[in-house]
Amino acid sequence: MAEHILATDTLNAGRIKINELAIDAAARAETNSETAIAKGDQAIQKATELGNESIQIATDKGNESIEIAETTGAEAIRIANEKGDSSISIATTKGNESIAIAENALEVANGVRNEFDQIIQEAGDSNPEIVNARTDQKGVKHDTLNARLTSDLSRKVEFTDLATTSKDGLMSKADKSKLTNLPVITFTERGEVVD
C-alpha cells in the first residue's frame, strides 16, 4: 500500500504518492472494466454468429424441402411440408436459444460492469484522500475520480473557448499566444528555481 502524503514531503514525493494512490489505481480499474466489457462483447458476437448460422441452416433445409416437393409430386409435397415444419421448428428453437444466449451474455456483461463500479466506489470510500479528490473546486462530489477529472477538463475547455472567442473577451487570441510562449518554471528543490 502506498504512503500518504506527509507535510514534510517534497512536491515530487507528493506527486509520486498521488500517482500510486489514485491515478495508477484508476488506470488499473479502467483496464479491468474494459476487459470485462470486451469479454461481454465477444460473448454477444459468438451468440449472434450462432443465431445467424442457425437461420442459414434452416433456410437451406427449407429450400431443399421445396425442391424435393416440386420434383416428386403430391407425396413429396406432403413429406416436404413435414420436413419444412420440422426445420422451422428447429430454426425457431435454435434462434430462441441464440437470443437467450445473447441476452444472457449482455446481462452478465452489465452485471460485471455494475459490480466493478460498485467495487470501485466501495474501495474508494475507505481511503479519505480518494474520497476528498472526488470533490471538485465548486464542491460538487462525483461518484469516481475519473468523473471529477472529466468534469474539470470539460469546464477548463469551456472557459478557454470563452476566453479566446468572446467579443468583449477576457483575453484576445494574440494575448493567449503570448501566454503560451512564456517560459516554463520548474521547482526542483525548496527555494531553487530552474528555467
Side-chain angles (χ1 to χ4, degrees):
M1 181 177 216
E3 289 184 52
H4 288 235
I5 298 174
L6 304 174
T8 58
D9 283 343
T10 64
L11 182 60
N12 190 47
R15 178 191 63 79
I16 291 169
K17 289 178 181 180
I18 288 173
N19 284 345
E20 289 175 356
L21 281 171
I23 297 172
D24 292 348
R28 285 191 301 274
E30 185 175 357
T31 299
N32 290 339
S33 177
E34 289 170 355
T35 301
I37 291 168
K39 286 183 180 177
D41 289 345
Q42 288 173 355
I44 291 168
Q45 174 80 24
K46 185 65 176 175
T48 302
E49 288 172 6
L50 288 173
N52 290 339
E53 187 178 326
S54 297
I55 291 168
Q56 184 61 49
I57 290 169
T59 302
D60 292 346
K61 291 290 183 184
N63 290 338
E64 181 183 346
S65 296
I66 291 169
E67 258 181 51
I68 293 170
E70 289 174 348
T71 57
T72 59
E75 183 62 23
I77 290 172
R78 184 184 64 78
I79 293 171
N81 285 335
E82 290 175 4
K83 295 271 185 189
D85 290 344
S86 175
S87 295
I88 290 170
S89 176
I90 290 170
T92 301
T93 301
K94 291 285 187 187
N96 288 338
E97 288 173 2
S98 297
I99 289 170
I101 289 170
E103 288 174 346
N104 186 42
L106 181 60
E107 187 177 318
V108 168
N110 287 336
V112 169
R113 171 175 255 166
N114 290 338
E115 185 177 337
F116 183 74
D117 289 345
Q118 185 64 32
I119 289 170
I120 290 295
Q121 288 179 351
E122 289 173 3
D125 290 342
S126 65
N127 186 325
E129 187 172 15
I130 292 175
V131 172
N132 188 38
R134 291 179 185 167
T135 303
D136 63 23
Q137 291 176 338
K138 291 188 175 186
V140 176
K141 183 176 179 184
H142 299 272
D143 290 337
T144 63
L145 184 56
N146 186 38
R148 183 262 169 106
L149 294 173
T150 302
S151 173
D152 286 351
L153 180 60
S154 175
R155 275 200 304 275
K156 183 177 179 183
V157 169
E158 289 173 10
F159 180 75
T160 302
D161 289 346
L162 175 67
T164 57
T165 60
S166 174
K167 287 182 183 176
D168 298 326
L170 301 171
M171 180 185 307
S172 70
K173 287 186 180 181
D175 289 340
K176 183 180 178 200
S177 175
K178 290 176 187 175
L179 283 177
T180 305
N181 294 326
L182 288 175
V184 175
I185 298 173
T186 305
F187 293 92
T188 56
E189 294 291 331
R190 287 187 191 161
E192 293 183 24
V193 178
V194 177
D195 285 334

